[in-house]
Amino acid sequence: MKADTRHLALPFFDDIHRALGEQLAAWAPAQQVDESDDRRACKEWVKLLGTGGWLRYCVPAGVDGALGGALDKLDSRALVILRETLAFHSPLADFAFAMQGLGSGAITLAGTPAQQAAYLPAVARGDKIAAFALSEPDAGSDAGAMTTTADAAGSDWTLNGSKTWISNGDIADFYVTFTKTDLAAGTRGITAFIVDAGNAGLDSSEHIAVMAPHPLATLKFAHCRVPGTAQLGALNGGFRLAMQTLDIFRASVAAAALGMARRALFEAVRFSRERKMFGQTLADFQLTQAKIGEMAALIDAAALLTYRAAWLRDDSERSGTGKRVTAEAAMAKMTATENAQRVIDMALQMHGGLGVKVGTKVESLYRDIRSLRIYEGATEVQQLIIGKAVLQS
């Protein structure tokens, strides 16, 4: 089953993106991973994506290709194409790809040459699994409320506290971890560090089970000592770094939702053509046709916002204006995840009893889509971002 690639003809994309999309659409259906154990499966997907060369789009090329990337810079449209196509086939494959990018993105943006050389080529090959540790039990959307601290200890730092809902928790090789280095300064007192999984004082063994299995864990730091060279970016510049990283990948969350919605529509169309009812197929009923029409329109509306956000971000990078596209990415993320939830729900309803049978594709999609409306900024947070942007314009 090959994902539909007709949307690649839209003017948002260049020939390099169209070639990438076609190649990935041909590669993905041939990959078979047993996903009954999400942690083992995620590791396997990272290896497959690394061997296939797809993780090279998570990092930049660097001078003479030294960092292992496929392109000179992180390219939002490439990320969107990759996530949409992978999510169509396997949301867990999409998760594995996305976390390689998100977990290493801050190193791409702010890492020293030594940090980039130590981590980015290994991420691109799939030799190191990356993670992004920002959220805490009492600090999710409100990052300024975090209480995990980093205290100077000579030329080293000592970390204490906890992070939770950490994707790739307990399977990652390193964690880009955001801490308070000035407790009284709110978001202006946050600094990032690269913490290797084997660091003494780091415990990642507390796993979190969720409705759509993904490797998540709580991280506990108890006098976890890291060298001064582990500091990532400027002292107390961690909040801005985290937001810059999320800006790059937020539109790609929309793309993942888009891929799941496209798969739900595919399943609904296939089922409606095959299901016999009252002497005709389900597809012959006008009510079915109306629902499929609504699903298609919801998907296209989300797609246009998603591709626009990615194009605007890439255009800003190309032109050197440095203009942030936070509001446009928020519109894409909000619309795509909410629309995908509606599309998948309609596809499940169309399947009747089969829709809630464990093991059917629409049933797993129904569980997979729900978290996308929460992570990397819940829908309500996106609404606030968009509203503030409109009021300030």
Side-chain angles (χ1 to χ4, degrees):
M1 177 206 323
K2 183 175 179 288
D4 191 349
T5 56
R6 285 176 293 181
H7 57 278
L8 295 174
L10 291 170
F12 295 105
F13 301 112
D14 298 332
D15 287 344
I16 191 171
H17 302 112
R18 296 185 181 100
L20 167 64
E22 293 291 352
Q23 291 162 8
L24 182 61
W27 177 86
Q31 312 310 308
Q32 300 296 323
V33 173
D34 178 359
E35 297 183 351
S36 57
D37 179 337
D38 60 301
R39 293 177 179 277
R40 180 194 50 73
C42 196
K43 291 179 182 179
E44 189 171 343
W45 273 119
V46 169
K47 283 297 182 186
L48 282 171
L49 290 164
T51 302
W54 309 114
L55 295 181
R56 296 177 63 226
Y57 292 91
C58 291
V59 304
V63 179
D64 295 327
L67 299 182
L71 303 172
D72 288 340
K73 297 180 179 180
L74 286 179
D75 185 280
S76 288
R77 287 170 292 172
L79 294 173
V80 159
I81 289 168
L82 280 150
R83 293 201 65 181
E84 180 179 337
T85 306
L86 290 171
F88 179 90
H89 292 283
S90 164
L92 191 59
D94 161 67
F95 171 91
F97 172 84
M99 287 313 305
Q100 288 296 92
L102 182 64
S104 66
I107 301 175
T108 293
L109 292 173
T112 63
Q115 288 171 334
Q116 291 179 341
Y119 292 97
L120 298 185
V123 166
R125 294 191 302 267
D127 292 341
K128 284 185 183 290
I129 295 178
F132 183 85
L134 178 65
S135 296
E136 296 187 4
D138 295 315
S141 299
D142 181 10
M146 72 172 60
T147 58
T148 296
T149 59
D151 298 301
S155 61
D156 297 342
W157 292 86
T158 301
L159 278 60
N160 286 283
S162 67
K163 297 289 179 180
T164 196
W165 303 112
I166 306 307
S167 297
N168 282 345
D170 209 33
I171 67 169
D173 294 290
F174 66 92
Y175 301 87
V176 169
T177 305
F178 296 84
T179 69
K180 276 286 183 71
T181 40
D182 185 342
L183 283 170
T187 57
R188 296 185 179 182
I190 295 173
T191 304
F193 294 88
I194 305 171
V195 184
D196 290 321
N199 243 67
L202 168 60
D203 179 1
S204 61
S205 63
E206 185 179 321
H207 297 178
I208 301 172
V210 290
M211 61 192 292
H214 291 81
L216 299 171
T218 294
L219 311 180
K220 296 178 181 178
F221 299 90
H223 306 293
C224 179
R225 197 176 184 99
V226 297
T229 54
Q231 181 181 321
L232 181 57
L235 181 66
N236 297 326
F239 179 75
R240 185 170 183 270
L241 178 58
M243 295 306 104
Q244 287 177 317
T245 306
L246 291 172
D247 268 358
I248 296 171
F249 290 94
R250 189 162 280 148
S252 78
V253 179
L258 196 54
M260 294 183 208
R262 289 195 193 279
R263 180 61 180 269
L265 178 59
F266 174 88
E267 296 294 334
V269 169
R270 178 167 65 179
F271 181 77
S272 69
R273 286 171 172 167
E274 296 172 353
R275 179 74 162 96
K276 300 293 194 298
M277 294 182 69
F278 304 107
Q280 55 187 341
T281 66
L282 185 60
D284 292 322
F285 289 91
Q286 285 186 326
L287 183 57
T288 302
Q289 295 163 15
K291 286 293 183 184
I292 287 175
E294 183 180 1
M295 293 161 74
L298 287 168
I299 289 171
D300 275 8
L304 292 173
L305 285 174
T306 301
Y307 304 153
R308 180 189 71 161
W311 179 85
L312 284 171
R313 193 261 167 188
D314 288 344
D315 185 62
S316 173
E317 284 289 306
R318 178 193 57 77
S319 63
T321 63
K323 180 184 176 184
R324 294 184 66 184
V325 294
T326 304
E328 292 85 353
M331 288 182 185
K333 201 268 185 184
M334 177 188 74
T335 303
T337 56
E338 292 291 330
N339 284 10
Q341 181 84 60
R342 292 173 61 189
V343 167
I344 292 168
D345 184 72
M346 284 188 278
L348 187 150
Q349 188 76 8
M350 195 176 295
H351 279 70
L354 283 174
V356 293
K357 181 182 177 183
V358 173
T360 59
K361 187 61 180 179
V362 290
E363 180 271 338
S364 64
L365 286 170
Y366 192 82
R367 289 182 286 106
D368 279 313
I369 191 57
R370 191 60 185 84
S371 63
L372 271 68
R373 293 169 58 202
I374 297 173
Y375 76 67
E376 289 192 39
T379 293
E380 292 75 14
V381 173
Q382 309 310 319
Q383 290 170 336
L384 289 174
I385 291 170
I386 297 162
K388 288 179 180 178
V390 171
L391 289 169
Q392 291 169 3
S393 64

